[in-house]
Amino acid sequence: MTNKTAMTMRRLAFCALPLSLVSSLATAPARAQDATVPAQIQSQTQTQASFSEAQIEQFVAPIALYPDPLLTQILMASTYPLEVVEAARWSRDNSTVNGPALQDAMQAQSWDPSVKALTAVPQTLEMMSDKLDWTQQLGDAFLAQQQDVLNAVQKLRAEAQAAGNLRSTPQQVVTTAPAPDGVAASAVQQPIVIEPVNPNVYYVPVYDPAVAYGAWDYPAYPPFYWSPPGFVASNVVSFATGVAVGAAIWGGCNWWNHSVIINVNRYNIFNHTNIDITNNTWVHNPAHRHDVPYPNARVAQRFDRANEAAARDALRDRANAQHDYFFKGLNNAEHGGVSSDRADTERADAFRRTEGNARDAERRIAPALPDRRDGAYGRDGGDRASESATPERREFAPRNDAGRRFMRSRVQTFRPERRAMGGRGVHGRGGGHHRL
């Protein structure tokens, strides 16, 4: 009975083996697939780092009802968050500087022109600095998904208009952008355009995004509400006190092409420049990004390379400037204004003449000197020459003082540390002394 039981158990084990193998083979690919899914998701996240529609609308909601020039100025400046903070601090410390004095003051700052422009609207800079995380996310989204950002602005404007909260007022004019040639205006929704009544005076809208657009579509992504300290709202969309900006605000938007444009005339006036920007289209300058990373790999690849090239150019220019300054001072001091090429030539000629004279003197002196062996001099620096000095050597000294003095002066030229020791000319090296 026992043998039969053992036999039965072995048969069951034998039958179960193929089943276990099949199960293992079936689950192995599933495990491998499960293991690769997180890696694929992680790789895609690192490569794209894209924002969802809900996130982008959350980012633009606090500024979507701003006039177009101010809105685009904020979008450009948000790509340089560190300079925004610096400019906001400067504005707080220099709140009385405005008008032409502000234009002059900005020439001394190294910020990007889009950031300098916002110093004319300190309320906006203060909001961007207070909400720094939002500023950086807005800039990152704008660099990676510019069309999505501009589309989100139009969507929210349409919602605010439908809710009765976006219309023309004494502070701003609300219209639609005419369709370009070849596009039927009735076939697509025309973009909503917001412009200040006076392009030199801006009234910044103040509103709660959770109310201005009607019911908010994304409860998981609520937008923030910010208002200037002490401000009291009188309507769903109110306006802060107008500020005279002059030519400071030079941004704009081509809604049909989803591009941010530049009013070159206003740009040149405020920045004291005379540039001609190709196609009037704004382009991000990575040199003003500083150490803030680009979370989107595609954006990072595009702008980090440009930033490296700009850094190399700046380093080369700095090195050239230092080189010119150094040699200019050297030429003035040693050559009385002689050009560097001429000075170099004269130094080379003088060196060759010195070497030639030295070799001639050595040829004249060498036949009169006896051969010297290593044993002729003690390591303590004393002269242990053979006492049987030849008459030629004794007779040479008085007749060739000029040659000896020349050789001694030549050594002094190249070994300025020569000094007298014990009545003999010696040169210290490595702790020992060697006779010249």
Side-chain angles (χ1 to χ4, degrees):
M1 188 70 177
T2 303
N3 293 335
K4 290 183 179 181
T5 302
M7 182 66 69
T8 302
M9 294 298 295
R10 282 197 295 270
R11 288 176 180 175
L12 290 174
F14 181 76
C15 294
L17 180 60
L19 294 176
S20 63
L21 290 175
V22 171
S23 176
S24 299
L25 293 174
T27 57
R31 293 195 190 100
Q33 185 176 1
D34 292 342
T36 58
V37 168
Q40 292 174 354
I41 295 175
Q42 183 179 6
S43 176
Q44 182 178 1
T45 301
Q46 293 175 349
T47 302
Q48 299 300 328
S50 59
F51 296 97
S52 67
E53 180 180 350
Q55 289 176 302
I56 292 178
E57 291 190 25
Q58 179 190 36
F59 298 155
V60 302
I63 58 174
L65 303 185
Y66 282 27
D68 288 8
L70 182 58
L71 167 72
T72 53
Q73 209 77 62
I74 294 172
L75 292 177
M76 290 184 281
S78 66
T79 64
Y80 315 111
L82 292 183
E83 294 189 347
V84 165
V85 174
E86 294 177 357
R89 293 174 179 172
W90 185 93
S91 292
R92 285 195 296 268
D93 296 338
N94 299 273
S95 57
T96 60
V97 179
N98 51 40
L102 179 62
Q103 294 184 22
D104 295 337
M106 287 301 99
Q107 308 314 307
Q109 302 300 329
S110 61
W111 310 319
D112 186 83
S114 64
V115 177
K116 293 181 182 181
L118 289 178
T119 58
V121 193
Q123 170 188 324
T124 300
L125 267 182
E126 184 178 4
M127 177 186 69
M128 297 177 72
S129 180
D130 287 350
K131 301 292 184 179
L132 187 57
D133 289 343
W134 165 80
T135 298
Q136 182 173 345
Q137 290 175 326
L138 176 67
D140 292 339
F142 181 58
L143 289 176
Q145 300 165 253
Q146 180 169 315
Q147 181 172 342
D148 294 338
V149 169
L150 296 180
N151 285 341
V153 170
Q154 286 299 319
K155 178 185 175 184
L156 292 177
R157 284 183 176 183
E159 292 178 358
Q161 195 174 53
N165 297 323
L166 179 60
R167 57 185 181 272
S168 294
T169 65
Q171 295 84 11
Q172 62 186 22
V173 179
V174 179
T175 59
T176 56
D181 295 339
V183 177
S186 58
V188 293
Q189 182 177 356
Q190 291 180 271
I192 299 173
V193 177
I194 305 176
E195 296 284 348
V197 172
N198 183 344
N200 297 325
V201 179
Y202 275 73
Y203 296 85
V204 180
V206 180
Y207 58 92
D208 184 352
V211 177
Y213 304 112
W216 186 250
D217 295 335
Y218 311 103
Y221 298 93
F224 71 84
Y225 169 55
W226 187 92
S227 64
F231 180 82
V232 178
S234 58
N235 206 334
V236 174
V237 179
S238 303
F239 294 90
T241 304
V243 291
V245 300
I249 305 302
W250 41 261
C253 189
N254 185 331
W255 292 106
W256 291 100
N257 292 334
H258 301 97
S259 61
V260 171
I261 59 177
I262 295 172
N263 185 319
V264 177
N265 292 332
R266 297 175 69 87
Y267 179 98
N268 286 334
I269 291 173
F270 184 76
N271 293 290
H272 295 184
T273 57
N274 187 26
I275 63 173
D276 183 14
I277 301 174
T278 304
N279 299 325
N280 297 356
T281 302
W282 174 80
V283 178
H284 174 70
N285 184 354
H288 292 277
R289 183 77 174 186
H290 302 295
D291 294 329
V292 180
Y294 298 97
N296 183 285
R298 177 174 50 83
V299 174
Q301 183 178 16
R302 176 161 44 119
F303 289 120
D304 278 349
R305 289 180 178 178
N307 203 16
E308 291 174 1
R312 286 195 300 269
D313 292 342
L315 180 60
R316 183 172 59 251
D317 293 342
R318 204 159 50 240
N320 290 339
Q322 292 175 351
H323 177 275
D324 294 342
Y325 176 81
F326 173 78
F327 282 102
K328 179 180 178 181
L330 186 62
N331 291 339
N332 290 339
E334 295 186 359
H335 304 289
V338 180
S339 67
S340 61
D341 292 341
R342 181 180 174 186
D344 292 341
T345 302
E346 291 181 355
R347 283 196 295 270
D349 291 342
F351 181 77
R352 283 194 294 268
R353 286 196 298 270
T354 302
E355 287 295 306
N357 293 337
R359 284 194 295 270
D360 292 342
E362 289 173 353
R363 282 195 296 269
R364 290 194 301 269
I365 296 170
L369 291 176
D371 292 339
R372 291 185 176 181
R373 301 288 183 257
D374 293 339
Y377 297 93
R379 296 185 181 275
D380 59 355
D383 188 356
R384 295 184 179 177
S386 174
E387 294 181 357
S388 58
T390 60
E392 289 81 355
R393 183 179 180 186
R394 288 194 296 268
E395 293 175 0
F396 170 78
R399 289 201 303 267
N400 291 279
D401 285 343
R404 187 182 295 274
R405 285 196 300 272
F406 173 81
M407 293 298 295
R408 184 176 293 114
S409 65
R410 179 168 175 258
V411 173
Q412 288 175 340
T413 302
F414 292 94
R415 295 182 180 179
E417 65 271 22
R418 177 179 179 270
R419 62 186 181 275
M421 179 176 290
R424 302 176 183 270
V426 295
H427 174 65
R429 179 182 301 173
H433 304 285
H434 302 270
R435 179 180 173 84
L436 292 178

